[in-house]
Amino acid sequence: MPRKSPLVIGHRGAPGYRPEHSRSSYELALAMGVDAVEPDVVATKDGVLIVRHENEISGTTDVAEHPEFADRKTTKRVDGEALTGWFTEDFTWEELATLRSRERLPEVRASSASFSGSQAILRLIDVLDIVREGSAEYGREIGVVLEIKHATYFASIGLELAPLIERDLRAAGWATGELPLIVESFESTVLAQLKDRGIAASYVYLIEAAGRPFDLFVEHGAKAQTYPQAVTPDGLDHWAGVVDGISVDKRMLLATGSTIVADAHARGLTVFTWTCRPENRFLAAEFRGAGGKGAYGDYEAEWGVIARTGVDGVFVDHPDLGVGFFRD
């Protein structure tokens, strides 16, 4: 059904106000009127899917304060990048359940940081339950935009994500198309795997402003299509019919003369963008104001540019502001 206004998607819940991926973050997003929420999924050693922005969790949990886990700190290469910290795949779910969530950006979001340490990590199945219950409570259909993180990396260590995701979606009743589900990833390979498994969803290819996807780089090396190439007319010709839509870094839509949305729509692809945030730290330079990184700049002007592209969905960290601005 056509929509005049874009979908407003609570990016990891409502992380402008509560630590991302926490129960209160998701519950607040639902209360503020979002159309959907976006959990990122990674895996534990024992195959439990949890919601974290990354598999390295030192920035979003209190793991460093647990002496019993001190020896788990290590350095790994994830998607070609060296990272040092604690990784979900080195823990069982029972162990991770003892940790508490933390605000990832305390220097920008001091109010949210006041909730650090008060909430446990959630599993994907927990978020699906929260959304189902919220839909019933608020009397409206609320969707899930499931982002799959580091699928090629996890497969390389023996943790294939597609079967784990299928398991949880089917168990929760989210795999048949009766409940609104969008599946997205920066790696198209895992999207194809889930589609082949019969998961009824809209499939969205996430696109960075630069670089190339790790799955295609592993397969094709330097010949792999880059993200910028994917949004050219020729690139979009390739993705039309392979995925249902694309989701691009907002910088690509803010670029002068961008025709990405029109070009994608001409090929039957929907377009989402990430992430609409009001703080100066995240705004394009021309929209920043006084007061430092955590102060709100002229976000409405930036969001207006984005809205006028005709984009189909926006990810927001402050759902009340997003609903208030983007809804017709």
Side-chain angles (χ1 to χ4, degrees):
M1 186 166 134
R3 294 177 57 93
K4 288 177 65 180
S5 56
L7 288 172
V8 178
I9 303 159
H11 181 236
R12 312 172 202 164
Y17 303 113
R18 300 290 188 274
E20 64 186 39
H21 292 313
S22 62
R23 178 174 290 274
S24 68
S25 184
Y26 285 110
E27 289 178 345
L28 184 58
L30 303 184
M32 287 179 166
V34 296
D35 298 301
V37 292
E38 182 237 21
D40 301 307
V41 296
V42 294
T44 68
K45 179 193 296 186
D46 50 345
V48 175
L49 292 176
I50 65 169
V51 290
R52 290 285 96 187
H53 179 235
E54 296 292 340
N55 57 322
E56 199 289 292
I57 55 173
S58 62
T60 60
T61 74
D62 62 356
V63 64
E65 296 176 8
H66 285 251
E68 68 273 26
F69 299 140
D71 62 349
R72 309 280 179 95
K73 187 176 185 180
T74 187
T75 298
K76 301 188 180 192
R77 293 193 72 82
V78 180
D79 295 0
E81 180 183 355
L83 298 172
T84 298
W86 288 263
F87 296 81
T88 59
E89 64 269 21
D90 295 331
F91 294 82
T92 65
W93 163 242
E94 185 178 10
E95 291 172 327
L96 289 176
T98 67
L99 304 182
R100 293 297 176 264
S101 297
R102 274 194 165 165
E103 169 55 46
R104 186 170 57 91
L105 302 167
E107 73 284 0
V108 177
R109 294 172 173 169
S111 178
S112 176
S114 70
F115 293 89
S116 292
S118 64
Q119 299 173 77
I121 291 176
L122 298 176
R123 299 165 295 179
L124 173 60
I125 58 173
D126 298 323
V127 175
L128 297 176
D129 286 344
I130 289 169
V131 175
R132 186 193 295 272
E133 292 162 7
S135 295
E137 178 179 356
Y138 297 109
R140 69 178 196 276
E141 190 174 66
I142 305 172
V144 169
V145 181
L146 172 60
E147 181 176 347
I148 306 168
K149 304 301 292 262
H150 308 303
T152 300
Y153 166 78
F154 275 111
S156 75
I157 60 172
L159 283 167
E160 295 278 354
L161 294 185
L164 302 179
I165 294 168
E166 179 187 11
R167 175 200 67 197
D168 285 1
L169 290 176
R170 292 199 184 282
W174 283 83
T176 62
E178 296 176 22
L179 297 170
L181 176 65
I182 297 168
V183 181
E184 62 177 10
S185 179
F186 289 103
E187 299 179 271
S188 58
T189 303
V190 71
L191 298 180
Q193 291 169 352
L194 278 172
K195 187 181 279 191
D196 288 345
R197 288 173 172 271
I199 300 300
S202 293
Y203 288 89
V204 171
Y205 181 34
L206 282 161
I207 295 174
E208 297 265 18
R212 49 172 51 89
F214 190 64
D215 58 334
L216 298 186
F217 178 74
V218 169
E219 184 175 356
H220 303 293
K223 294 181 180 179
Q225 184 189 66
T226 66
Y227 287 123
Q229 288 170 342
V231 296
T232 64
D234 286 346
L236 292 169
D237 283 342
H238 167 77
W239 292 108
V242 176
V243 294
D244 300 297
I246 59 174
S247 184
V248 301
D249 185 322
K250 69 174 183 176
R251 291 177 293 175
M252 302 175 86
L253 300 188
L254 292 171
T256 302
S258 173
T259 60
I260 290 173
V261 175
D263 291 343
H265 284 172
R267 291 158 177 81
L269 293 165
T270 58
V271 184
F272 295 169
T273 194
W274 45 273
T275 303
C276 291
R277 296 163 164 143
E279 297 105 336
N280 285 320
R281 170 170 172 170
F282 306 110
L283 294 172
E286 61 268 34
F287 302 113
R288 294 173 194 155
K293 293 180 180 179
Y296 290 4
D298 191 4
Y299 67 90
E300 291 184 319
E302 182 185 271
W303 295 6
V305 175
I306 291 169
R308 287 191 291 274
T309 67
V311 71
D312 302 291
V314 292
F315 291 86
V316 299
D317 280 7
H318 299 71
D320 55 338
L321 301 183
V323 168
F325 183 86
F326 288 104
R327 284 272 167 80
D328 287 338

